[in-house]
Each structure stands twice: as C-alpha cells, then as structure tokens.
Amino acid sequence: MKYWKKLPHQSLQTRIEQALKENVDFEKDTSLGYPASKLDDKVFYSDAPFLKDAPTLKTYVANPNHIGCHTYGSSESAFKGTQEIEREVLRVLAVDFFKMEDEQFDGYIAPGGTEANIQAIWVFRNFFNHHFDASNDEIAILASEDTHYSIPKASNLLNLDLLQAKVGFDTREIDPEALRSMIEEAVSNGKKYFSVIANMATTMFGSVDNPDVYTDILESMDLEYKLHIDGAYGGFVYPFSNLKSAVNFSNPKISSITIDAHKMLQAPYGTGVYLSRKGLIENVLTKEAEYVEGMDLTLCGSRSGANAIAVYMILFTYGPYGWYEKISILQMRTDWFCKQLDHLSIPYFRNEHMNIVTIYSSHIPQDIAEKFDLVPEQHNENNKWYKVVIMDHVEIDNLLQLIDALKERMKIA
Ligand SMILES: *Cc1c(COP(=O)(O)O)cnc(C)c1O
C-alpha cells in the first residue's frame, strides 16, 4: 500500500479543515459570480456545536461543488482544497486497490455505479468514433445475462446494441461457446467494435466474470475491443477477500473500473466511482461547457464535494488492515451460513470470495422469504432465486433466525 493508511481522527479532522480553508468560504469571502452558496442557514445551522467534530457534516454545510474532473487539466479553483482530497481518494483506489501505476489514472466520484458505467460506455463509444471513425451501429456492448440493468440503460441512452452472453444456470459462468457464436453472428451483422463489461461480482449472485473469456475470443477473431469492469458491488470486497485477484489494472486489457462506495463501504448515497487509464476520458469532452473553469469530462455536472470527504474519512479511518479485518468478518459469517445450508441440503450459489448467497427458490417457502426480506431474482412467479447479502448489520444471530425458520418448516413437511 503506497498511499492508504490508517489515520487518527484528529489528523483527519485537521486535514479536512485545512482543505475547507483552501476553498471559497461563502460566509466570509466576497464571491459574487457563482450560483452557489453554503447550505441554507435557516435550515442547516453552520454553528451547531456537533459540527466541530464531524468533518463530513461540516463539509456538507460548506457545500463545495466538485463539478468536473480533477485528475485532468485545470478545475474550478473555488473548491481546490476539497478537490485535492477527492484526488487522494481516487489515488488510493486506483493505485492501492487496483494496482494502477502512479498518476496514470483519470476518474471522479460519480453519483453512483449507474453513472460510472454509463460514463465508461460513453467513453468507449466516442473512442471508437474518434479513432476508427466507427458509426454507432458498428459498435456493440458485450456483457452477461447477469449484468446489472445500468448496462441496458446505457445501451438505450447511447444508442448501442447490447449483446448478453448466456451463463450456466448453476455456475453463473459465461458459456464461451455461446459467447463465440453470438460474437460471430454480430460480426456478420456488421459489428466491428466491442465494449465489454465484465462483472466483479454481479448484483444477484456475487459471481465474478473471468474477463479472459471475452478477450480470448475477441482477440482470436482479431476484433477491436475495450474492457470495463463493473465492480459496483464487489469493488470494496473482492480485492480483499481474494488477494490473488487479477481483476485490476495490472491486466493491461482493463481500461476502466466502476466501484460503488455507497454499497459495501457504507458511504452516503452519491458515491459511485469511475476510474480509467489515462488517454480515454478526453473522448467525452463537452467543448460547450465554457462557463466552468477547466474541461468538462463527466456525465453529471454539479456534484457534492462532501461525498469525496465521506469516502476519504471511511478509507483513512479503517486503513488497509482495518478494512481487511472487516471484510474477513463478513466472509466468516458467509462461510458459517453456507455450512448451515449444506447441513440442511439446501442448494445455493456462492462465489467463495463474496458475501452474497443466492438460494434456489424451490427450497425457500415464499412467506419465509418475505419475512426475512430476501430479494428475489425476479418479482414474479418465474422467480428461481432468493439472495441473502451478508452486510455489516447481518450478524450470525440474524442468519440463525432464518436457518431456524427453515429447519422448523422442514420438520413439518
Ligand atoms: C448497484 C450496482 C450498479 C448500479 O449502481 P447504483 O449506485 O445503484 O447506480 C451497477 N452495477 C452493479 C453490479 C451493481 O451492483
């Protein structure tokens, strides 16, 4: 770990207060040109005593705007203090989490994983447009059946066809033969460029795609492609539960990664992360954005700088060892739960490195699923799966209640 460490609360607080001082202070400075201010002080008191020890809340009240991208060119200088913290967060994620070389990344804290995925596909589309003069109907998005619905959303918005590879029902693994014939058919229909989205944990199963399945086939057919990893779900888990993971920037074929801090990291909503290699993000430059200082390279415009502070606070409060311990505890609980299911001969899918267990619905009575708020794969009578996500608040005692309810029902049956 080069940049990520555990820091005491006092250092974090000092660092953030310093950063806020480097921003425009709407209360004290004369700033006449921005359609921005601190939060309304009739509603959000800036002098409340508890704010003193709560750097994230203090930043919410100060209300810095992190509009734009702060890893490329210049940015809005009014908020340079907290923008620097966003850059620090991105550096930890790119270099320490995902093995990027120093300063070789671009990225930003997006409103969520959906936007980060759309941004990635937008960057790839324009890259193909600019470098190969590709028309949109020559470009296809490639993903699996288990891919998050933000990818169909991107396909619709960006006017690109989406091809979804079949996965095995029990293994949730992409079937390479079916994938190859799907690509062959696409090529015969005029597709030449492929934006691949591989999952580093799908939302429903926690299954992790092997990106080589895609790239081996595309390379054997001499096709142009770009590869994005959707780590919205697993980005804060998988690199720690599987220390041998190669799903990161050490694989030169991976161009960009989405991670959601508002899922497993328990940051506030509004903290998706888009990270890419240098040389890509400028493909989505909006030249018309002239009133904003610096270049406009993001899908969203204004966004709260407090979100970057929230992620910074969590990362540096835990540090790498603290975070590893937290993930290990979730893994232990998940192992325990799987063992209980094994005893009851209840079949399920689990990736051994993930904290999601997806159970065959045939073995879960519907009323029990509802009582425990298990999420179905489909909200209709065709549903075949229910998932349990072992989060921070899901302790063994909670899991035990579900196991007991299932045992009880089996006795009666
Ligand atoms: C949740 C999720 C997303 C979308 O993220 P939001 O933050 O809800 O926009 C994308 N991909 C995967 C795999 C997800 O789990």
Side-chain angles (χ1 to χ4, degrees), residues 383-399:
N383 179 48
K384 302 238 169 7
W385 300 93
Y386 283 114
K387 75 168 167 176
V388 175
V389 183
I390 290 82
M391 296 292 292
D392 198 48
H393 67 276
V394 180
E395 297 183 6
I396 300 256
D397 294 288
N398 309 110
L399 295 167

Side-chain angles (χ1 to χ4, degrees), residues 61-230:
V61 175
N63 204 23
N65 187 352
H66 278 200
I67 190 166
C69 168
H70 315 305
T71 58
Y72 190 105
S74 62
S75 299
E76 195 68 66
S77 53
F79 307 106
K80 60 178 187 299
T82 48
Q83 285 167 4
E84 178 56 32
I85 295 192
E86 175 170 327
R87 244 187 322 272
E88 277 182 46
V89 165
L90 297 172
R91 190 189 292 139
V92 163
L93 297 175
V95 177
D96 288 334
F97 274 58
F98 293 112
K99 305 199 157 95
M100 174 71 93
E101 284 154 42
D102 274 321
E103 305 309 323
Q104 292 309 302
F105 62 90
D106 284 312
Y108 69 103
I109 298 196
T114 298
E115 167 156 330
N117 284 341
I118 296 170
Q119 169 89 9
I121 295 171
W122 185 29
V123 166
F124 289 173
R125 188 196 71 174
N126 289 9
F127 170 85
F128 292 129
N129 294 156
H130 297 154
H131 288 76
F132 298 99
D133 209 15
S135 65
N136 289 350
D137 57 14
E138 291 173 324
I139 306 169
I141 303 169
L142 267 186
S144 87
E145 284 180 323
D146 285 342
T147 294
H148 186 264
Y149 63 82
S150 52
I151 306 304
K153 202 179 265 185
S155 147
N156 181 283
L157 277 167
L158 294 165
N159 213 3
L160 301 171
D161 286 338
L162 167 62
L163 307 172
Q164 286 186 279
K166 288 242 169 317
V167 300
F169 183 78
D170 299 303
T171 63
R172 310 319 291 182
E173 267 176 34
I174 295 164
D175 172 351
E177 289 315 309
L179 176 63
R180 180 182 285 275
S181 22
M182 191 174 72
I183 296 173
E184 282 168 354
E185 195 187 325
V187 170
S188 69
N189 291 329
K191 298 288 185 244
K192 294 181 180 158
Y193 310 97
F194 294 85
S195 294
V196 180
I197 314 298
N199 290 293
M200 189 166 64
T202 56
T203 317
M204 189 62 207
F205 295 92
S207 48
V208 177
D209 297 332
N210 175 3
D212 298 346
V213 172
Y214 289 107
T215 57
D216 286 353
I217 294 175
L218 290 162
E219 285 174 17
S220 77
M221 296 172 73
D222 256 337
L223 292 166
E224 286 295 335
Y225 70 86
K226 283 274 170 206
L227 171 60
H228 174 76
I229 302 298
D230 182 0

Side-chain angles (χ1 to χ4, degrees), residues 12 36 53 103 215 286 360 390:
L12 296 174
D53 302 316
E103 305 309 323
T215 57
T286 299
Y360 288 67
I390 290 82

Side-chain angles (χ1 to χ4, degrees), residues 33-37 291:
Y34 300 104
S37 191
Y291 75 82

